[in-house]
Every structure is written in C-alpha cells, then in structure tokens.
Amino acid sequence: MAKGYRTVDRDQQFLLPPSMREWLPADDPVWLVISLVDRLDTSELHALRKTGGVGRRGYDPDMLLTLLIWGWAHGERSSRTLERLCHRDIAFRVICGGDPPDHATIARFRAQASPVMPTLFTQVLAACAQLGMGKVGVVALDGVKIASNASTSKNRTEKSLVKAREAEVAALRDRLTETARSADTEHAANDADDDDGQSVPDELLRSDRLARIDEALQNVRALNKAAEDRQSTPIDFEALEAKRAAEQTARDEFVAQWKQEWADGSRPPGVVPIEARVEVAEAAVHTARVRHQARIDRRETEGGRGPRPAPVEQARAVRAARDRLDKAHADTAVWQAERDAEQHAWEQRKQRILINRVTCKPHRPTIDNLGNITDPQSRPMPLRGGGWVQGYNCQAVTTADGLIIATSVGDGPIDAPTFIPMMSKAVEAAAVLAEHRPPEHHAEPDQIGTLLADAGYLSEENITATGPARLIATAKSHKLPRDTSELIPPADDASPIEKMTYNLATRTGKALYSQ
C-alpha cells in the first residue's frame, strides 16, 4: 500500500543540466543508428550545404540524416510528423539534441540528399558486412505497391490535362489582370498598358500546379506514343502461327513418347503430362480392381482366417484410384477449357487487328493512360487482393538474415521487367559485402547462390538471363507440383518454364523456395 502520492511539480528547475545519455538505455537501437551515421563518410552530403554566411547556424547534415533514417525505419515519412516527433518523442529529441528542426528544413534536406543516398547505402552495406551480416547464399526478390501522397481522383487523361492546363493559364492571366488593375502607381499602370493581355509573366508561370500539370501531360503523351508505336508495328501472324504449330508438334511428340515409354514399362512413375493423366488414372483403377479381385480369389481358393475382403468396388484402393481418376478428369477439363479460351482469344485478336488493318482504323487502347496532377510520377497500381492504389512499384532483394541489399522504385505495375536489373544490383551488392567482410566470416559465400522470386517475375527471358542460379515460381504456391517422389527430369528440348517447374518440384527446390 502506498504511503501517499508523489508531488507533481512541473515548475521545478534542474540544478544541473540533464544528460540525454540518461534518457534512454545504452542498448536502445537509436544509439546504434547514431553511431552508424558517425562512421559513414558524409563528405558528399556536407558538400551540398553552404556555410560561412550571415544569419543563424544551420543544422548538422549528419543529424538530419540520422533523423530521416530513424523516421523511415518507423514508417514516418512526413516532414511535419518528423518535426512534431522531435518535440514529443524521446528518441527523436536525442537525435536532434533538443534542437528540433522545422518541417521545411527536413523537406529541403531530403530533396538535397537524394543524389547522395546510393553512396551512403553502399557504405551501410560495407558496415553490415564488417558486422558479419549479409548471408547471400539464398536471397529473395519481391515487390510491393506503395501509395504516394496523391489521390486516384486526381488522375486525368491527356484531353483532361490539356483542359486543366488551359484553365490554369487562364487563372494566372486573370490574376495578372487583377494585379494590374489594382496598381496605384504610375509604373504599374505603364506596365499594364504595355501588356497585350496574352502573355503570362515568368513569375506566375512558375506555379507549382502548372508545373505538375505539364509533367503529367508529358508523361501521358509519352505513354500514349509508346502504345501507338506498339499498335502500329505490323504483326507477322504467319510466323506466330508457325511458332505455335511447332511448339504444339513438339509437345505432341513428347506426350506420345511419354505414353509409349509408360506403356512399355520403361518410364518410372513421376510427373504425368496433363494430356495423359486420364489414361494413367484409368489404368490405375483397372490395376487396383485386378489386384483386389485376385485377393478375393485367393481367399476363396486357399481359405484363411480373418475378415472377408470387401467387394471390388468398395475396396479402399479401388475407391482411391477412382477418386484420382475423377480428379484427373476435372483437371483435364479445366486445362482443355483454358486452352480453348486461349485459342479463341487468339483468333479474336487476330481477326480484330486484321479488320482494323484493312479498314485503316487504328486499334485504340481499352484503357487510356492517366497522369496525376498531384504526383505526376505516380501511376495507378493494381493490388493483389483487388483494388487500386496511386503510387509506385517498389522492389527489394533481401538476404537470408533479413538485410536488404538492393532496392528500386518504378512506375510500372508489372514485376517481370524489374527482375534482371534487380539481379544485377544484387550481384553488385554481394561483391561489396564480400570485399568488406572480416576474416572470421570468410566462410560465408562471396556470391549469390540462389535468387528466389514469385510467379510475378516469370518469363523465359528472366529464367535464361546470365546470372546466379534462380528459382522463379511458375504458378501460385498452392498450384505448384507437390509430388516429389521419383521425379522425371524434363526432356532436353523442353521449354525453360517446364524445366523450372521441375526444379521447383524437387526436394531441394521446395526446401529453397520455402525460404
């Protein structure tokens, strides 16, 4: 039981200046970030700042860099939020030494420091290597859609952006006219008389909104031009048809050879082609029935103790074989439906483009490219669970011990085109880690052993590109092959995707991809 309450005296003066070292324990992560920034070479960062002039002293770039790193690590990217935390949060107060910068200073520093960030990131990798971090035996690549500080309602087509620009210029001209009319001095009156009413002064044309509209309009026009170029490129349907026919012929030959080897008993069981699954399942049902009937016959001929065997159709092995046959029928039906739908879509597309070519009508895109007025560099991004977000597609390569060694930010919603650039960045980062790794950690591999990626990065180009070994999912995880017993390697002339599917189904591949 407490004796009483402690007195709350907020007017008590400190007899001695307080030490910030006592505000947080020595093992708090903020001290690690502060010491890490102290070890970095920030000379390029200091070169961006100017000192020696009049006025108050500026903020130390190392402190501002530490503030940004600590804020980003906690998901705080807003300059105003960082300013508020510097007043209220102990860790942020320790970083800024009790002298919090305002949000404008933080925002300006972030913009100025952007060109130097890649060099600092490389130094951080070197420091992590010296601490024994960065196990590159197995690394993983993945992407995430991150929202920008913009709304999808601010997206505009090229036509709408042109109208918005005209409205903004008209508003600026009206503001100029109103300023000229309200001028009382003779000089302002003379300037108004000299103006023809059609030109806009440079100081008014420097409007941020007008600049964003121009940038968005430029981006949309570039996207539309690229789409028109792709659509105007003639398509050689004869070559495509020949390629599809050759692939189908090779597939039919492979399936026929597989069935022949299976019928002869020279091919052990393994991954069964979809075209032969019903036939194999029917043979399994027949075999199960014959074996169980032989068991019943032996019981009747030789006698014996124990329960009588169940009827053939009620035997557990026969019922299991029939279930597999039903599943084979269902899988084959789905595969055939998907194949028919793909062929139908191909025929429709070919017919539509041929008609447009004959009638000289350009093939218009189904979705107009959009530009955002608030953030022109951002684009609408589809989300995995459905819906859209206005933002960017961010990529990251992570090591087995959770260290991010390569990053990128783009406005393309598809992940596959980013695979090869991200792989190159990861290889360069692994070289940096190997160069700065201490002798006691030389047992760690110096090069990337295996690069993992999900089905969003699947393409034959990504599978066959020069670089480290890789495992790229050929389907969603729950649709990947699960039977790892007695797998048959694919033929030498199999496609890279078929070979990758086999690698994923092996025991080693499943163990690696599960990471």
Side-chain angles (χ1 to χ4, degrees):
M1 180 180 297
K3 181 178 180 180
Y5 296 114
R6 302 184 183 185
T7 302
V8 180
D9 187 0
R10 297 187 176 88
D11 296 326
Q12 173 65 41
Q13 301 292 325
F14 288 101
L15 299 179
L16 294 175
S19 174
M20 289 188 176
R21 293 285 177 181
E22 299 177 357
W23 289 5
L24 293 171
D27 58 351
D28 193 273
V30 69
W31 300 117
L32 175 62
V33 176
I34 293 175
S35 61
L36 175 62
V37 174
D38 289 341
R39 293 179 57 182
L40 299 179
D41 181 9
T42 57
S43 57
E44 295 185 16
L45 200 60
H46 285 267
L48 300 175
R49 311 284 287 182
K50 296 180 180 180
T51 58
V54 297
R56 61 175 298 183
R57 295 177 178 269
Y59 290 95
D60 188 350
D62 293 351
M63 182 276 291
L64 294 174
L65 176 62
T66 307
L67 179 62
L68 287 180
I69 294 175
W70 185 254
W72 292 342
H74 289 78
E76 300 294 346
R77 299 187 295 272
S78 170
S79 300
R80 295 182 183 274
T81 302
L82 294 178
E83 178 188 2
R84 183 171 64 254
L85 290 173
C86 288
H87 288 276
R88 297 181 176 181
D89 189 274
I90 294 179
F92 284 90
R93 286 179 60 84
V94 169
I95 291 175
C96 65
D99 186 13
D102 58 19
H103 63 274
T105 301
I106 299 174
R108 285 195 298 267
F109 173 78
R110 178 171 53 193
Q112 294 174 352
S114 296
V116 187
M117 287 299 179
T119 304
L120 298 176
F121 182 74
T122 303
Q123 295 185 45
V124 172
L125 284 182
C128 292
Q130 294 172 2
L131 297 174
M133 301 176 63
K135 299 179 180 179
V136 297
V138 178
V139 299
L141 168 63
D142 203 357
V144 62
K145 307 297 192 301
I146 295 182
S148 63
N149 188 18
S151 172
T152 54
S153 63
K154 298 298 182 181
N155 286 324
R156 301 289 186 271
T157 62
E158 180 179 356
K159 185 177 180 180
S160 299
L161 288 172
V162 171
K163 292 182 178 180
R165 190 184 191 283
E166 293 175 353
E168 184 68 16
V169 172
L172 292 174
R173 185 177 291 113
D174 292 342
R175 192 186 312 168
L176 169 65
T177 304
E178 184 65 24
T179 302
R181 289 176 179 176
S182 61
D184 296 329
T185 63
E186 182 178 358
H187 179 71
N190 293 335
D191 287 344
D193 292 337
D194 293 338
D195 185 19
D196 59 1
Q198 301 298 321
S199 61
V200 181
D202 292 340
E203 59 269 22
L204 293 183
L205 282 177
R206 296 194 189 104
S207 166
D208 292 339
R209 176 178 170 82
L210 186 60
R212 292 195 300 269
I213 293 176
D214 288 340
E215 185 177 357
L217 185 59
Q218 182 179 1
N219 293 340
V220 169
R221 284 174 174 170
L223 293 173
N224 291 338
K225 181 64 167 58
E228 292 176 359
D229 293 342
R230 289 194 302 267
Q231 294 163 7
S232 61
T233 302
I235 300 177
D236 190 353
F237 286 104
E238 290 75 13
L240 292 179
E241 288 285 3
K243 180 180 178 182
R244 289 166 63 91
E247 292 176 351
Q248 186 60 41
T249 301
R251 178 68 181 181
D252 293 341
E253 293 177 354
F254 166 76
V255 173
Q257 182 182 1
W258 191 97
K259 289 183 178 181
Q260 184 63 39
E261 294 178 357
W262 170 72
D264 297 340
S266 59
R267 175 178 286 273
V271 179
V272 181
I274 186 66
E275 298 91 333
R277 289 183 186 178
V278 173
E279 186 176 346
V280 173
E282 289 176 346
V285 172
H286 176 72
T287 302
R289 286 172 176 166
V290 171
R291 289 179 178 176
H292 192 75
Q293 185 62 47
R295 182 182 175 189
I296 294 175
D297 295 342
R298 286 196 305 270
R299 171 63 183 263
E300 294 179 354
T301 303
E302 301 174 359
R305 299 178 180 179
R308 295 178 61 84
V312 173
E313 297 302 324
Q314 297 180 9
R316 182 172 59 182
V318 176
R319 286 187 283 111
R322 286 204 309 266
D323 292 340
R324 289 193 292 270
L325 176 60
D326 294 339
K327 186 177 185 304
H329 276 295
D331 293 344
T332 304
V334 172
W335 170 77
Q336 188 63 43
E338 292 177 349
R339 187 178 180 183
D340 294 343
E342 181 183 356
Q343 181 65 26
H344 180 68
W346 164 257
E347 295 294 339
Q348 281 191 332
R349 180 182 175 220
K350 180 172 66 173
Q351 183 178 8
R352 183 173 62 251
I353 295 180
L354 289 176
I355 291 176
N356 290 333
R357 184 182 299 174
V358 172
T359 58
C360 299
K361 293 181 179 179
H363 178 63
R364 295 182 58 81
T366 56
I367 299 178
D368 292 332
N369 291 307
L370 303 176
N372 193 274
I373 297 178
T374 307
D375 186 355
Q377 296 180 351
S378 64
R379 290 183 63 186
M381 298 284 173
L383 299 178
R384 178 176 301 176
W388 296 77
V389 63
Q390 185 72 27
Y392 300 92
N393 188 3
C394 302
Q395 305 290 323
V397 177
T398 310
T399 62
D401 53 347
L403 179 65
I404 298 177
I405 61 174
T407 60
S408 72
V409 179
D411 60 356
I414 303 176
D415 291 334
T418 66
F419 181 85
I420 295 178
M422 289 301 298
M423 180 173 61
S424 301
K425 287 186 176 182
V427 171
E428 296 175 359
V432 174
L433 292 171
E435 180 182 357
H436 295 85
R437 187 172 286 118
E440 57 269 20
H441 294 285
H442 278 328
E444 294 293 334
D446 294 339
Q447 298 179 351
I448 295 176
T450 304
L451 175 60
L452 309 177
D454 60 26
Y457 301 89
L458 179 64
S459 71
E460 291 192 2
E461 181 183 5
N462 292 342
I463 294 177
T464 58
T466 304
R470 70 214 65 169
L471 279 177
I472 304 177
T474 56
K476 293 184 178 180
S477 58
H478 66 278
K479 293 184 178 181
L480 292 175
R482 299 182 181 275
D483 184 11
T484 60
S485 61
E486 301 181 0
L487 289 174
I488 304 302
D492 295 337
D493 58 349
S495 67
I497 294 180
E498 290 178 339
K499 295 179 180 179
M500 182 62 66
T501 302
Y502 166 78
N503 294 335
L504 288 164
T506 61
R507 185 170 301 176
T508 302
K510 290 176 67 67
L512 284 173
Y513 191 76
S514 63
Q515 301 183 40

